[in-house]
Amino acid sequence: MDLLSMTAVELSQAIREGRTTAPEALAAVFAQIEAKEETLHCYITIEKEKAMQRAQEVQAKIEAGELIGPLAGVPVAIKDNLCTEGTLTTCGSRILENFVPTFSAEAVELLKNAGAVIIGKTNMDEFAMGSTTETSYFGVTRNPADPARVPGGSSGGSAAAVAAGECFFALGSDTGGSIRQPAGYCGVVGMKPTYGTVSRYGLVAYGSSLDQIGPLTKDVADCAAVLSVIASHDEKDSTSMKREDTDFTSALVRDVKGLKIGIPRDYFSEGLDSQVKEAVLKAAKVLEANGAVLEEFDLSLVDYAIPTYYTIAAAEASSNLERFDGIKYGYRADAEGLHQMYKKTRSQGFGEEVKRRIMLGSFVLSSGYYDAYYLKALKVKAMIKKAFDDAFVRYDLILGPVSPTTAPRLGESLSDPLKMYLGDIYTISVNLAGLPAISLPCGRDDQGLPIGLQLIGDCFSEKTLIRAAYTCEQAVKSAGEADAGQNTPGESAVKDGENPQTVKDETVADSKTGVMTSAGKEA
Protein backbone atom coordinates (compact mmCIF):
# COMPACT_ATOMS: atom_id res chain seq x y z
CA MET A 1 0.00 0.00 0.00
CA ASP A 2 1.51 3.32 -1.15
CA LEU A 3 0.32 5.62 1.61
CA LEU A 4 1.82 8.78 0.10
CA SER A 5 -0.25 8.38 -3.08
CA MET A 6 -3.46 8.65 -1.05
CA THR A 7 -5.39 11.85 -0.53
CA ALA A 8 -6.11 13.01 3.01
CA VAL A 9 -9.70 11.72 2.88
CA GLU A 10 -8.59 8.37 1.47
CA LEU A 11 -5.93 8.00 4.16
CA SER A 12 -8.35 8.76 6.98
CA GLN A 13 -10.79 6.19 5.62
CA ALA A 14 -7.99 3.60 5.39
CA ILE A 15 -7.05 4.29 9.03
CA ARG A 16 -10.65 3.98 10.22
CA GLU A 17 -11.04 0.71 8.31
CA GLY A 18 -7.87 -0.72 9.86
CA ARG A 19 -5.90 -0.95 6.61
CA THR A 20 -3.19 1.27 8.08
CA THR A 21 -2.63 3.39 11.19
CA ALA A 22 -1.93 7.03 11.98
CA PRO A 23 1.63 6.25 13.20
CA GLU A 24 2.33 4.31 9.97
CA ALA A 25 1.12 7.22 7.85
CA LEU A 26 3.23 9.67 9.86
CA ALA A 27 6.28 7.42 9.51
CA ALA A 28 5.80 7.39 5.74
CA VAL A 29 5.67 11.20 5.72
CA PHE A 30 8.82 11.50 7.82
CA ALA A 31 10.62 9.12 5.46
CA GLN A 32 9.62 11.39 2.57
CA ILE A 33 10.76 14.46 4.49
CA GLU A 34 14.12 12.82 5.12
CA ALA A 35 14.48 12.09 1.41
CA LYS A 36 13.28 15.47 0.07
CA GLU A 37 13.67 18.16 2.72
CA GLU A 38 17.38 18.84 2.28
CA THR A 39 16.68 19.87 -1.32
CA LEU A 40 13.26 21.53 -1.00
CA HIS A 41 13.36 23.09 2.50
CA CYS A 42 9.58 23.14 2.98
CA TYR A 43 9.73 23.36 6.78
CA ILE A 44 11.16 25.74 9.37
CA THR A 45 10.26 23.54 12.34
CA ILE A 46 9.60 19.79 12.42
CA GLU A 47 8.47 18.16 15.68
CA LYS A 48 8.98 14.47 15.10
CA GLU A 49 8.60 13.17 18.65
CA LYS A 50 5.59 15.33 19.49
CA ALA A 51 3.89 14.39 16.22
CA MET A 52 4.46 10.65 16.73
CA GLN A 53 3.07 10.83 20.26
CA ARG A 54 0.04 12.69 18.91
CA ALA A 55 -0.42 10.08 16.15
CA GLN A 56 -0.51 7.30 18.73
CA GLU A 57 -3.08 9.19 20.82
CA VAL A 58 -5.25 9.81 17.77
CA GLN A 59 -5.00 6.17 16.72
CA ALA A 60 -6.29 5.07 20.11
CA LYS A 61 -9.26 7.45 19.82
CA ILE A 62 -10.03 6.22 16.30
CA GLU A 63 -10.02 2.61 17.47
CA ALA A 64 -12.28 3.59 20.36
CA GLY A 65 -14.72 5.23 17.94
CA GLU A 66 -14.15 8.72 19.39
CA LEU A 67 -12.75 10.17 16.15
CA ILE A 68 -14.63 9.37 12.96
CA GLY A 69 -14.12 12.50 10.82
CA PRO A 70 -12.49 12.66 7.37
CA LEU A 71 -9.22 14.12 8.71
CA ALA A 72 -8.66 11.84 11.72
CA GLY A 73 -5.09 10.55 11.80
CA VAL A 74 -3.97 12.62 8.80
CA PRO A 75 -0.56 14.42 8.98
CA VAL A 76 -0.84 18.17 8.32
CA ALA A 77 1.64 21.03 7.97
CA ILE A 78 0.93 24.54 9.30
CA LYS A 79 2.22 27.78 7.80
CA ASP A 80 4.57 29.45 10.25
CA ASN A 81 2.44 32.56 10.78
CA LEU A 82 -0.28 30.55 12.53
CA CYS A 83 0.35 30.35 16.26
CA THR A 84 0.85 26.85 17.67
CA GLU A 85 1.03 26.37 21.42
CA GLY A 86 4.46 25.23 22.54
CA THR A 87 5.93 25.29 19.01
CA LEU A 88 8.12 27.96 17.41
CA THR A 89 6.15 30.45 15.32
CA THR A 90 8.63 32.62 13.44
CA CYS A 91 6.74 34.11 10.47
CA GLY A 92 9.96 33.43 8.55
CA SER A 93 11.62 36.35 10.35
CA ARG A 94 14.67 36.81 12.53
CA ILE A 95 12.70 39.08 14.83
CA LEU A 96 10.55 36.08 15.90
CA GLU A 97 13.21 33.36 15.66
CA ASN A 98 12.71 32.40 19.35
CA PHE A 99 8.98 33.08 19.74
CA VAL A 100 6.95 30.20 21.23
CA PRO A 101 3.21 31.03 21.59
CA THR A 102 1.21 30.04 24.66
CA PHE A 103 -1.91 29.39 22.57
CA SER A 104 -2.90 28.02 19.17
CA ALA A 105 -4.76 29.69 16.32
CA GLU A 106 -8.45 28.78 16.14
CA ALA A 107 -7.99 27.02 12.78
CA VAL A 108 -5.19 24.91 14.28
CA GLU A 109 -7.35 24.01 17.28
CA LEU A 110 -10.18 22.92 15.00
CA LEU A 111 -7.83 20.63 13.08
CA LYS A 112 -6.58 19.14 16.34
CA ASN A 113 -10.16 18.51 17.45
CA ALA A 114 -10.78 16.74 14.14
CA GLY A 115 -7.87 14.39 14.82
CA ALA A 116 -5.29 15.81 12.41
CA VAL A 117 -1.63 15.26 13.36
CA ILE A 118 0.57 18.36 13.11
CA ILE A 119 4.01 17.66 11.65
CA GLY A 120 5.52 21.12 11.98
CA LYS A 121 5.63 24.65 10.60
CA THR A 122 6.26 25.44 6.94
CA ASN A 123 8.59 28.03 5.45
CA MET A 124 7.14 31.29 4.16
CA ASP A 125 8.05 34.74 2.92
CA GLU A 126 8.90 36.90 5.92
CA PHE A 127 5.63 38.05 7.53
CA ALA A 128 3.90 36.79 4.34
CA MET A 129 5.46 39.63 2.34
CA GLY A 130 6.53 38.13 -0.96
CA SER A 131 5.41 35.92 -3.82
CA THR A 132 8.27 33.42 -3.99
CA THR A 133 9.19 32.21 -0.45
CA GLU A 134 12.63 33.74 -1.00
CA THR A 135 12.37 36.49 1.62
CA SER A 136 12.39 34.04 4.54
CA TYR A 137 15.18 34.56 7.09
CA PHE A 138 15.53 30.77 7.20
CA GLY A 139 16.35 30.32 3.51
CA VAL A 140 14.47 29.66 0.29
CA THR A 141 12.01 26.87 -0.47
CA ARG A 142 12.29 25.13 -3.85
CA ASN A 143 9.57 23.94 -6.21
CA PRO A 144 9.18 20.12 -6.26
CA ALA A 145 8.43 20.29 -10.00
CA ASP A 146 11.84 21.92 -10.61
CA PRO A 147 14.13 22.74 -7.65
CA ALA A 148 15.72 25.53 -9.68
CA ARG A 149 12.42 27.43 -9.49
CA VAL A 150 10.39 29.09 -6.77
CA PRO A 151 7.29 27.43 -5.27
CA GLY A 152 5.43 30.74 -5.13
CA GLY A 153 4.53 32.57 -1.97
CA SER A 154 4.01 33.50 0.65
CA SER A 155 2.61 30.04 1.46
CA GLY A 156 5.28 28.38 -0.69
CA GLY A 157 6.45 26.01 2.03
CA SER A 158 2.93 24.67 2.52
CA ALA A 159 2.29 24.23 -1.21
CA ALA A 160 5.67 22.58 -1.81
CA ALA A 161 5.18 20.21 1.14
CA VAL A 162 1.83 19.01 -0.24
CA ALA A 163 3.22 18.63 -3.77
CA ALA A 164 6.29 16.73 -2.53
CA GLY A 165 4.35 14.33 -0.30
CA GLU A 166 5.89 15.83 2.86
CA CYS A 167 2.37 16.15 4.29
CA PHE A 168 -1.13 15.19 3.18
CA PHE A 169 -2.50 18.72 3.36
CA ALA A 170 -1.47 22.09 4.77
CA LEU A 171 -2.82 25.40 5.99
CA GLY A 172 -1.74 28.67 4.42
CA SER A 173 -2.80 32.29 4.59
CA ASP A 174 -3.87 34.44 1.64
CA THR A 175 -3.48 38.23 1.70
CA GLY A 176 -3.15 38.85 -2.04
CA GLY A 177 -2.96 35.37 -3.54
CA SER A 178 -0.56 33.69 -1.11
CA ILE A 179 -2.47 30.38 -1.16
CA ARG A 180 -3.66 30.33 -4.77
CA GLN A 181 -0.43 31.41 -6.49
CA PRO A 182 1.87 28.80 -4.86
CA ALA A 183 -0.86 26.19 -5.41
CA GLY A 184 -0.76 27.07 -9.09
CA TYR A 185 3.05 26.98 -9.25
CA CYS A 186 3.27 23.63 -7.43
CA GLY A 187 0.33 21.86 -9.06
CA VAL A 188 -1.94 21.44 -6.03
CA VAL A 189 -5.35 22.77 -5.00
CA GLY A 190 -5.53 25.95 -2.91
CA MET A 191 -8.54 27.90 -1.69
CA LYS A 192 -9.04 31.37 -0.27
CA PRO A 193 -12.46 31.42 1.45
CA THR A 194 -14.78 34.42 1.76
CA TYR A 195 -13.33 36.93 4.22
CA GLY A 196 -14.57 36.03 7.70
CA THR A 197 -15.33 32.37 6.97
CA VAL A 198 -12.24 31.11 8.82
CA SER A 199 -11.25 32.74 12.10
CA ARG A 200 -8.11 34.88 11.97
CA TYR A 201 -7.53 34.44 15.70
CA GLY A 202 -3.93 33.34 16.14
CA LEU A 203 -2.86 34.39 12.64
CA VAL A 204 0.01 36.88 12.86
CA ALA A 205 -1.44 39.80 10.94
CA TYR A 206 0.00 41.29 7.77
CA GLY A 207 -2.99 43.13 6.27
CA SER A 208 -5.91 42.63 8.65
CA SER A 209 -8.64 43.58 6.17
CA LEU A 210 -7.20 41.20 3.55
CA ASP A 211 -5.78 38.15 5.40
CA GLN A 212 -7.66 34.86 5.27
CA ILE A 213 -6.63 31.30 6.23
CA GLY A 214 -7.29 28.47 3.80
CA PRO A 215 -6.30 24.92 2.76
CA LEU A 216 -3.69 23.59 0.34
CA THR A 217 -4.54 20.02 -0.68
CA LYS A 218 -3.95 17.25 -3.19
CA ASP A 219 -7.42 17.44 -4.71
CA VAL A 220 -10.77 19.24 -4.48
CA ALA A 221 -12.37 16.65 -2.18
CA ASP A 222 -9.62 17.19 0.39
CA CYS A 223 -10.08 20.96 0.04
CA ALA A 224 -13.79 20.66 0.81
CA ALA A 225 -13.14 18.37 3.80
CA VAL A 226 -10.52 20.71 5.33
CA LEU A 227 -12.64 23.82 4.77
CA SER A 228 -15.60 22.11 6.44
CA VAL A 229 -13.46 21.65 9.56
CA ILE A 230 -11.82 25.08 9.81
CA ALA A 231 -14.83 27.22 8.84
CA SER A 232 -16.64 28.36 11.98
CA HIS A 233 -17.85 31.42 13.82
CA ASP A 234 -15.35 32.57 16.46
CA GLU A 235 -16.17 35.22 19.05
CA LYS A 236 -12.44 35.86 19.50
CA ASP A 237 -12.33 37.30 15.96
CA SER A 238 -14.53 40.36 15.44
CA THR A 239 -14.51 39.80 11.65
CA SER A 240 -15.68 36.18 11.91
CA MET A 241 -18.93 35.46 10.06
CA LYS A 242 -21.66 33.17 11.35
CA ARG A 243 -22.58 30.81 8.51
CA GLU A 244 -25.35 28.27 8.76
CA ASP A 245 -24.10 25.60 6.35
CA THR A 246 -20.38 24.82 6.37
CA ASP A 247 -20.57 21.23 5.11
CA PHE A 248 -18.67 21.94 1.91
CA THR A 249 -18.25 18.24 1.11
CA SER A 250 -21.91 18.21 0.03
CA ALA A 251 -20.81 20.24 -3.02
CA LEU A 252 -18.64 17.41 -4.35
CA VAL A 253 -21.00 16.79 -7.24
CA ARG A 254 -20.08 16.58 -10.91
CA ASP A 255 -22.69 19.01 -12.19
CA VAL A 256 -22.19 22.42 -13.82
CA LYS A 257 -25.14 22.32 -16.20
CA GLY A 258 -26.40 25.85 -16.76
CA LEU A 259 -23.65 27.42 -14.65
CA LYS A 260 -22.78 30.83 -16.12
CA ILE A 261 -19.05 31.48 -16.15
CA GLY A 262 -17.62 34.86 -17.09
CA ILE A 263 -14.17 35.12 -18.69
CA PRO A 264 -12.66 38.62 -18.27
CA ARG A 265 -10.96 39.90 -21.42
CA ASP A 266 -8.73 41.96 -19.13
CA TYR A 267 -7.19 38.76 -17.73
CA PHE A 268 -6.15 37.45 -21.14
CA SER A 269 -4.49 40.49 -22.66
CA GLU A 270 -0.88 41.61 -22.74
CA GLY A 271 1.53 40.02 -20.26
CA LEU A 272 -0.04 36.55 -20.08
CA ASP A 273 2.20 33.68 -21.17
CA SER A 274 0.77 31.96 -24.26
CA GLN A 275 1.02 28.45 -22.77
CA VAL A 276 -0.75 29.56 -19.58
CA LYS A 277 -3.45 31.20 -21.66
CA GLU A 278 -3.96 28.09 -23.78
CA ALA A 279 -4.16 25.73 -20.79
CA VAL A 280 -6.64 27.91 -18.90
CA LEU A 281 -8.92 28.38 -21.89
CA LYS A 282 -8.87 24.67 -22.70
CA ALA A 283 -9.82 23.94 -19.10
CA ALA A 284 -12.71 26.35 -19.60
CA LYS A 285 -13.81 24.23 -22.55
CA VAL A 286 -13.84 21.19 -20.26
CA LEU A 287 -16.41 22.98 -18.10
CA GLU A 288 -18.37 24.00 -21.20
CA ALA A 289 -18.39 20.40 -22.42
CA ASN A 290 -19.98 19.47 -19.08
CA GLY A 291 -22.80 21.98 -19.48
CA ALA A 292 -21.44 25.32 -18.27
CA VAL A 293 -22.12 28.48 -20.29
CA LEU A 294 -19.03 30.57 -21.08
CA GLU A 295 -19.10 34.25 -21.94
CA GLU A 296 -16.50 36.98 -22.27
CA PHE A 297 -16.90 40.32 -20.54
CA ASP A 298 -14.91 43.35 -19.47
CA LEU A 299 -13.95 43.46 -15.78
CA SER A 300 -12.96 47.06 -15.19
CA LEU A 301 -10.32 48.47 -12.84
CA VAL A 302 -7.88 45.54 -13.22
CA ASP A 303 -5.02 47.95 -13.84
CA TYR A 304 -5.69 49.64 -10.50
CA ALA A 305 -5.65 46.48 -8.39
CA ILE A 306 -1.87 46.32 -7.87
CA PRO A 307 -1.33 49.91 -6.64
CA THR A 308 -4.50 49.76 -4.54
CA TYR A 309 -3.48 46.50 -2.88
CA TYR A 310 0.09 47.51 -2.09
CA THR A 311 -1.03 50.88 -0.70
CA ILE A 312 -3.60 49.31 1.65
CA ALA A 313 -1.55 46.21 2.57
CA ALA A 314 1.59 48.24 3.29
CA ALA A 315 -0.37 50.71 5.42
CA GLU A 316 -1.89 47.93 7.49
CA ALA A 317 1.48 46.15 7.72
CA SER A 318 3.23 49.24 9.05
CA SER A 319 0.63 49.39 11.81
CA ASN A 320 0.56 45.65 12.57
CA LEU A 321 4.33 45.25 12.68
CA GLU A 322 4.73 48.16 15.08
CA ARG A 323 4.36 45.66 17.95
CA PHE A 324 7.67 43.93 17.13
CA ASP A 325 10.02 46.17 19.06
CA GLY A 326 12.26 43.81 21.06
CA ILE A 327 10.43 44.48 24.32
CA LYS A 328 7.54 42.03 24.57
CA TYR A 329 8.85 38.99 22.66
CA GLY A 330 11.19 37.90 19.93
CA TYR A 331 14.66 39.12 18.98
CA ARG A 332 16.28 42.00 20.92
CA ALA A 333 19.46 43.74 19.81
CA ASP A 334 22.14 44.85 22.28
CA ALA A 335 22.16 48.63 22.50
CA GLU A 336 22.59 51.51 24.91
CA GLY A 337 19.32 53.24 25.63
CA LEU A 338 15.73 52.42 24.71
CA HIS A 339 15.63 54.40 21.45
CA GLN A 340 18.79 52.76 20.09
CA MET A 341 17.50 49.33 21.10
CA TYR A 342 14.30 49.93 19.10
CA LYS A 343 16.25 51.02 16.04
CA LYS A 344 18.81 48.21 16.13
CA THR A 345 16.23 45.51 16.89
CA ARG A 346 14.00 46.45 13.98
CA SER A 347 16.92 47.13 11.62
CA GLN A 348 18.50 43.76 12.35
CA GLY A 349 15.29 41.78 12.90
CA PHE A 350 13.39 42.68 9.71
CA GLY A 351 14.45 41.75 6.18
CA GLU A 352 14.63 44.08 3.18
CA GLU A 353 11.16 43.37 1.77
CA VAL A 354 9.49 43.87 5.15
CA LYS A 355 11.37 47.14 5.69
CA ARG A 356 10.36 48.28 2.20
CA ARG A 357 6.67 47.72 2.92
CA ILE A 358 6.81 49.24 6.40
CA MET A 359 8.37 52.41 4.96
CA LEU A 360 5.82 52.53 2.14
CA GLY A 361 2.97 52.03 4.61
CA SER A 362 4.27 54.70 6.97
CA PHE A 363 4.58 57.10 4.04
CA VAL A 364 1.01 56.66 2.75
CA LEU A 365 -0.36 57.07 6.29
CA SER A 366 1.70 60.17 7.06
CA SER A 367 0.31 63.68 7.38
CA GLY A 368 -0.15 65.28 3.97
CA TYR A 369 -0.21 61.97 2.08
CA TYR A 370 -3.05 60.12 3.80
CA ASP A 371 -5.73 61.65 1.57
CA ALA A 372 -3.64 61.46 -1.59
CA TYR A 373 -2.78 57.78 -1.28
CA TYR A 374 -4.42 55.72 1.45
CA LEU A 375 -7.87 57.30 1.34
CA LYS A 376 -7.85 57.18 -2.46
CA ALA A 377 -6.86 53.49 -2.35
CA LEU A 378 -9.82 52.75 -0.07
CA LYS A 379 -12.15 54.43 -2.58
CA VAL A 380 -10.72 52.38 -5.46
CA LYS A 381 -11.08 49.23 -3.33
CA ALA A 382 -14.80 49.99 -3.03
CA MET A 383 -15.00 50.50 -6.80
CA ILE A 384 -13.29 47.14 -7.42
CA LYS A 385 -15.82 45.44 -5.12
CA LYS A 386 -18.63 47.16 -7.07
CA ALA A 387 -17.18 45.89 -10.38
CA PHE A 388 -17.28 42.32 -9.05
CA ASP A 389 -20.78 42.82 -7.66
CA ASP A 390 -21.94 43.90 -11.12
CA ALA A 391 -20.25 40.90 -12.72
CA PHE A 392 -21.91 38.45 -10.33
CA VAL A 393 -25.32 39.78 -11.29
CA ARG A 394 -24.69 38.12 -14.67
CA TYR A 395 -22.36 35.24 -13.79
CA ASP A 396 -22.14 32.50 -11.20
CA LEU A 397 -18.34 32.31 -11.41
CA ILE A 398 -15.42 34.10 -13.00
CA LEU A 399 -12.64 32.06 -14.63
CA GLY A 400 -9.06 33.06 -15.30
CA PRO A 401 -5.40 32.27 -14.73
CA VAL A 402 -3.75 32.27 -11.31
CA SER A 403 -0.57 34.02 -12.48
CA PRO A 404 0.78 35.38 -15.77
CA THR A 405 3.54 32.75 -16.05
CA THR A 406 4.60 29.43 -14.59
CA ALA A 407 7.08 29.42 -11.68
CA PRO A 408 10.09 31.71 -12.31
CA ARG A 409 13.64 30.72 -11.53
CA LEU A 410 15.08 31.39 -8.10
CA GLY A 411 16.47 34.92 -7.86
CA GLU A 412 14.60 36.36 -10.84
CA SER A 413 11.84 38.06 -8.85
CA LEU A 414 13.97 39.32 -5.97
CA SER A 415 16.12 41.34 -8.37
CA ASP A 416 13.02 43.25 -9.50
CA PRO A 417 10.40 43.73 -6.74
CA LEU A 418 7.98 45.53 -9.07
CA LYS A 419 7.99 42.52 -11.40
CA MET A 420 7.23 40.31 -8.40
CA TYR A 421 4.32 42.57 -7.44
CA LEU A 422 2.87 42.40 -10.97
CA GLY A 423 2.83 38.61 -10.72
CA ASP A 424 -0.12 38.94 -8.32
CA ILE A 425 -2.32 40.82 -10.79
CA TYR A 426 -4.97 38.06 -11.10
CA THR A 427 -5.22 37.20 -7.41
CA ILE A 428 -5.12 40.53 -5.58
CA SER A 429 -8.60 41.80 -6.51
CA VAL A 430 -10.18 38.78 -4.78
CA ASN A 431 -8.74 39.89 -1.43
CA LEU A 432 -9.67 43.52 -1.97
CA ALA A 433 -13.28 42.45 -2.56
CA GLY A 434 -13.33 39.78 0.19
CA LEU A 435 -14.35 37.07 -2.28
CA PRO A 436 -13.69 33.31 -2.31
CA ALA A 437 -11.50 31.76 -5.02
CA ILE A 438 -9.93 28.39 -5.75
CA SER A 439 -6.82 27.41 -7.70
CA LEU A 440 -6.52 23.99 -9.27
CA PRO A 441 -4.07 22.42 -11.74
CA CYS A 442 -5.12 22.68 -15.41
CA GLY A 443 -2.02 21.59 -17.29
CA ARG A 444 1.74 21.95 -17.66
CA ASP A 445 3.94 24.00 -19.94
CA ASP A 446 6.56 22.57 -22.31
CA GLN A 447 9.05 22.44 -19.41
CA GLY A 448 6.73 20.34 -17.27
CA LEU A 449 5.85 23.19 -14.90
CA PRO A 450 2.30 23.24 -13.45
CA ILE A 451 -0.26 25.79 -14.65
CA GLY A 452 -3.06 26.92 -12.35
CA LEU A 453 -6.70 27.69 -13.15
CA GLN A 454 -8.49 30.18 -10.91
CA LEU A 455 -12.23 30.21 -10.28
CA ILE A 456 -13.67 33.22 -8.42
CA GLY A 457 -17.07 33.30 -6.78
CA ASP A 458 -19.35 35.81 -5.12
CA CYS A 459 -19.27 36.10 -1.32
CA PHE A 460 -20.28 32.85 0.43
CA SER A 461 -20.37 30.87 -2.84
CA GLU A 462 -17.69 28.34 -1.84
CA LYS A 463 -20.02 25.46 -2.65
CA THR A 464 -20.45 26.64 -6.24
CA LEU A 465 -16.69 26.99 -6.56
CA ILE A 466 -16.09 23.51 -5.18
CA ARG A 467 -18.74 22.00 -7.45
CA ALA A 468 -17.20 23.59 -10.56
CA ALA A 469 -13.65 22.71 -9.52
CA TYR A 470 -14.65 19.13 -8.72
CA THR A 471 -16.43 18.78 -12.08
CA CYS A 472 -13.38 20.05 -13.94
CA GLU A 473 -11.04 17.81 -11.95
CA GLN A 474 -13.16 14.69 -12.46
CA ALA A 475 -13.62 15.38 -16.17
CA VAL A 476 -9.88 15.69 -16.60
CA LYS A 477 -9.35 12.51 -14.58
CA SER A 478 -11.85 10.62 -16.73
CA ALA A 479 -10.18 11.87 -19.90
CA GLY A 480 -6.81 10.81 -18.56
CA GLU A 481 -8.05 7.33 -17.78
CA ALA A 482 -9.58 7.08 -21.25
CA ASP A 483 -6.22 7.97 -22.75
CA ALA A 484 -4.76 4.91 -20.99
CA GLY A 485 -1.89 6.91 -19.59
CA GLN A 486 -0.64 8.18 -22.95
CA ASN A 487 -0.88 11.81 -21.89
CA THR A 488 0.21 13.70 -18.82
CA PRO A 489 -2.47 15.09 -16.48
CA GLY A 490 -1.78 18.52 -17.95
CA GLU A 491 -2.33 17.29 -21.49
CA SER A 492 -5.56 15.57 -20.49
CA ALA A 493 -6.91 18.89 -19.24
CA VAL A 494 -7.19 20.23 -22.77
CA LYS A 495 -9.78 17.64 -23.77
CA ASP A 496 -13.51 17.52 -23.27
CA GLY A 497 -13.44 13.82 -22.38
CA GLU A 498 -15.14 12.68 -25.58
CA ASN A 499 -13.77 14.26 -28.71
CA PRO A 500 -10.44 16.09 -28.27
CA GLN A 501 -10.45 17.30 -31.87
CA THR A 502 -13.79 19.00 -31.35
CA VAL A 503 -12.28 21.23 -28.68
CA LYS A 504 -9.46 22.23 -30.98
CA ASP A 505 -11.63 22.83 -34.03
CA GLU A 506 -14.46 24.66 -32.28
CA THR A 507 -12.25 27.08 -30.37
CA VAL A 508 -13.00 30.55 -31.67
CA ALA A 509 -10.86 33.48 -30.58
CA ASP A 510 -11.74 37.08 -29.99
CA SER A 511 -9.93 39.18 -32.58
CA LYS A 512 -8.23 41.29 -29.89
CA THR A 513 -7.66 39.04 -26.90
CA GLY A 514 -7.87 35.52 -28.29
CA VAL A 515 -10.32 34.58 -25.52
CA MET A 516 -12.95 32.02 -26.45
CA THR A 517 -16.69 32.57 -26.33
CA SER A 518 -19.33 29.93 -25.77
CA ALA A 519 -21.12 30.81 -28.98
CA GLY A 520 -18.02 30.72 -31.13
CA LYS A 521 -18.07 34.47 -31.75
CA GLU A 522 -17.09 37.68 -30.01
CA ALA A 523 -19.02 38.46 -26.85
Side-chain angles (χ1 to χ4, degrees), residues 94-95 341-351 355:
R94 182 184 186 185
I95 209 163
M341 190 275 290
Y342 282 151
K343 288 177 64 176
K344 288 187 69 175
T345 295
R346 291 172 67 82
S347 294
Q348 296 172 12
F350 290 134
K355 291 176 186 175

Side-chain angles (χ1 to χ4, degrees), residues 322-350:
E322 190 176 19
R323 70 194 70 175
F324 303 110
D325 53 12
I327 298 293
K328 296 178 283 295
Y329 36 65
Y331 174 78
R332 178 185 297 180
D334 293 328
E336 294 184 6
L338 183 64
H339 186 66
Q340 283 299 316
M341 190 275 290
Y342 282 151
K343 288 177 64 176
K344 288 187 69 175
T345 295
R346 291 172 67 82
S347 294
Q348 296 172 12
F350 290 134

Side-chain angles (χ1 to χ4, degrees), residues 311 360 362-376:
T311 299
L360 173 61
S362 299
F363 173 77
V364 301
L365 289 176
S366 61
S367 177
Y369 296 100
Y370 180 90
D371 290 347
Y373 294 104
Y374 183 66
L375 194 57
K376 186 177 291 184

Side-chain angles (χ1 to χ4, degrees), residues 154-176:
S154 62
S155 305
S158 289
V162 174
E166 293 190 26
C167 63
F168 281 84
F169 72 96
L171 288 189
S173 66
D174 194 312
T175 307

